[in-house]
C-alpha cells in the first residue's frame, strides 16, 4: 500500500475536505456577523471534482477523510456524495464535523451513508451565550442532535468547545460534566487567532488547572493516538475529556493531515497562508497521474510548523478553510 510523506518524514494520511463556506450560524471566531463575502458559486468545487481529488489522495495512501464546512449539512446533495466517498478504495474512515443544528434530522441518514463518527462544535451550554456566539437560538436543537447521533451509533460523539477567555472559559467544567452520564468525548480547544481581530486565548494549562481546582485531580491519560488531542478518562465519567493546544503546545511535529478548501485549494497547514489551487488544474484538464504528482509535491513542501509565535495569522477565515 502506498504511503504519503512530507519533507521531514511526517506520514500524511488524513484529508479534511470543506464542501462549502456557507453556514447557518455566525460564530464570532469563524466569520463576521455581517458583511460575509461568500465564495462565488462557480468557484466552489463540484462534487465530482472533490471525488476525483479524494480518489487521487486515496491512491497515494490517504485513508481517513473528514467532511467539514462551513456547515456541510446545508449543501444540497451531500448524502449521495458522502456515500460515494465511503466507497472509494483505500478510504477506511469518513467522519463529519457539524454545528449540530440539523443533526437530529440527518443523523440516521448520515449513518446509512457510511459516516462513522461525528464531531459537533458546541461552545456554551448557556442559552443567551449560545445566541451571542452563533447568532441563533438553537441550543436545544444541537443538544437533541448530539443525543440522536449517539442513539444511531455515530460514536464516539466528539464535542468540540473552543474555549475563549472572558467569554466561555468559566464553562469548562460544566461542559466536561456532559461526559459523566454520556459516553461523549469532550474536547477543549485553544482559540486560534484567525482574521477576527480578537485574541481570546485561554491555554490548555489554564483549562487543566480548572479541573484541579474543581477536585478532578485524577485525569488518566489514554493511549497516544494520531489525534492532536490529549485524551483523559476521569473516574466516574462514562466519557472522556481532551485538550487540543495548537497555540501554547503545538503538535506540528506529529501533524498527519492536509486540508482542501471549498474553492479547491490545498492547505498543507491550517495556520499557514501557503495554499495551492487544484481547481484550476482540474478545470484545465490535468491527468490523474499529473494530479497525483501535484499532490505529492504540495505535501512534500508542508511547513515544518506554524508561526503564530512570530505574530503571523491566517488570512482566511475558518469558514473558508474548513473546521
Amino acid at each position: 500500500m502506498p504511503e504519503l510523506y512530507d519533507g521531514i518524514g511526517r506520514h500524511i494520511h488524513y484529508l479534511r475536505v470543506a464542501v462549502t463556506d456557507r453556514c447557518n450560524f455566525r460564530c464570532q471566531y469563524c466569520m463576521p456577523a455581517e458583511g460575509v463575502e461568500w465564495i462565488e458559486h462557480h468557484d466552489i468545487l463540484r462534487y465530482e471534482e472533490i471525488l476525483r481529488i479524494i480518489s487521487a489522495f486515496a491512491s497515494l495512501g490517504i485513508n481517513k477523510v473528514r467532511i467539514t464546512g462551513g456547515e456541510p449539512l446545508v449543501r444540497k446533495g451531500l448524502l449521495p456524495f458522502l456515500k460515494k466517498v465511503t466507497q472509494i478504495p483505500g478510504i477506511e474512515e469518513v467522519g463529519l464535523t457539524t454545528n449540530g443544528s440539523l443533526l437530529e434530522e440527518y443523523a440516521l441518514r448520515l449513518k446509512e451513508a457510511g459516516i462513522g463518527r461525528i464531531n459537533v462544535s458546541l461552545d456554551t451550554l448557556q442559552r443567551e451565550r449560545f445566541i451571542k456566539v452563533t447568532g441563533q437560538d438553537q441550543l436545544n436543537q444541537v443538544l437533541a442532535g448530539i443525543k440522536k447521533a449517539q442513539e444511531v451509533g455515530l460514536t464516539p460523539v466528539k464535542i468540540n468547545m473552543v474555549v475563549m477567555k472572558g467569554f466561555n472559559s468559566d464553562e469548562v467544567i460544566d461542559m466536561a460534566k456532559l461526559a459523566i452520564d454520556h459516553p461523549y468525548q469532550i474536547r477543549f480547544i485553544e482559540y486560534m487567532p484567525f482574521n477576527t481581530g480578537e485574541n481570546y486565548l485561554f491555554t490548555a494549562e489554564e483549562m487543566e488547572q480548572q479541573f484541579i481546582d474543581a477536585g478532578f485531580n485524577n485525569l488518566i491519560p489514554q493511549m497516544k493516538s494520531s489525534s492532536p488531542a490529549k485524551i483523559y478518562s476521569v473516574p466516574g465519567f462514562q466519557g472522556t475529556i481532551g485538550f487540543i493546544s495548537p497555540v501554547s503546545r503545538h503538535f506540528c511535529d506529529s501533524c498527519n493531515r492536509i486540508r482542501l478548501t471549498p474553492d479547491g485549494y490545498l492547505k498543507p497547514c491550517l495556520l499557514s497562508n501557503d495554499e495551492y489551487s487544484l481547481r484550476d488544474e482540474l478545470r484545465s484538464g490535468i491527468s490523474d497521474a499529473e494530479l497525483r504528482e501535484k499532490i505529492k509535491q504540495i505535501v512534500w513542501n508542508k511547513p515544518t510548523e506554524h508561526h503564530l509565535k512570530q505574530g503571523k495569522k491566517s488570512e482566511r477565515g475558518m469558514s473558508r478553510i474548513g473546521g
Side-chain angles (χ1 to χ4, degrees), residues 143-187:
L143 293 174
I146 291 170
K147 180 180 178 182
K148 187 67 173 181
Q150 180 66 36
E151 288 174 355
V152 304
L154 292 169
T155 55
V157 176
K158 296 180 180 180
I159 299 174
N160 293 339
M161 177 185 183
V162 175
V163 182
M164 293 169 277
K165 177 173 283 187
F167 180 76
N168 64 351
S169 51
D170 60 340
E171 287 191 70
V172 168
I173 300 303
D174 289 339
M175 189 70 71
K177 287 180 178 178
L178 289 177
I180 293 178
D181 298 321
H182 306 281
Y184 305 147
Q185 184 178 110
I186 314 294
R187 309 196 306 175

Side-chain angles (χ1 to χ4, degrees), residues 48-67:
E48 56 267 29
E49 292 173 325
I50 302 174
L51 289 167
R52 188 177 172 198
I53 292 171
I54 297 175
S55 296
F57 268 104
S59 71
L60 294 170
I62 289 284
N63 58 19
K64 180 178 179 180
V65 174
R66 176 162 293 278
I67 305 301

Side-chain angles (χ1 to χ4, degrees), residues 128-147:
E128 292 305 318
R129 280 186 184 174
F130 187 94
I131 295 170
K132 184 175 181 180
V133 74
T134 68
Q136 301 292 328
D137 186 6
Q138 296 195 30
L139 176 59
N140 288 337
Q141 289 93 319
V142 173
L143 293 174
I146 291 170
K147 180 180 178 182

Side-chain angles (χ1 to χ4, degrees), residues 161-164 169 172-173 187-191 201-212 242-245:
M161 177 185 183
V162 175
V163 182
M164 293 169 277
S169 51
V172 168
I173 300 303
R187 309 196 306 175
F188 302 101
I189 305 172
E190 289 180 344
Y191 172 84
L201 178 61
F202 193 75
T203 67
E205 183 177 3
E206 292 174 289
M207 300 175 208
E208 291 163 3
Q209 185 61 48
Q210 287 196 354
F211 279 84
I212 295 171
F243 303 97
I244 301 178
S245 53

Side-chain angles (χ1 to χ4, degrees), residues 70-124:
E71 170 50 48
L73 293 177
V74 302
R75 181 164 177 179
K76 293 180 180 179
L78 183 72
L79 292 170
F81 162 74
L82 293 176
K83 192 165 186 178
K84 290 177 181 178
V85 174
T86 65
Q87 295 170 346
I88 293 174
I91 299 301
E92 298 172 2
E93 179 182 333
V94 182
L96 183 137
T97 296
T98 174
N99 62 31
S101 61
L102 301 172
L103 189 52
E104 186 176 24
E105 174 187 352
Y106 279 93
L108 181 57
R109 283 184 279 174
L110 289 170
K111 181 70 174 179
E112 292 171 343
I115 295 297
R117 289 193 284 193
I118 289 287
N119 286 20
V120 181
S121 300
L122 177 61
D123 298 322
T124 178

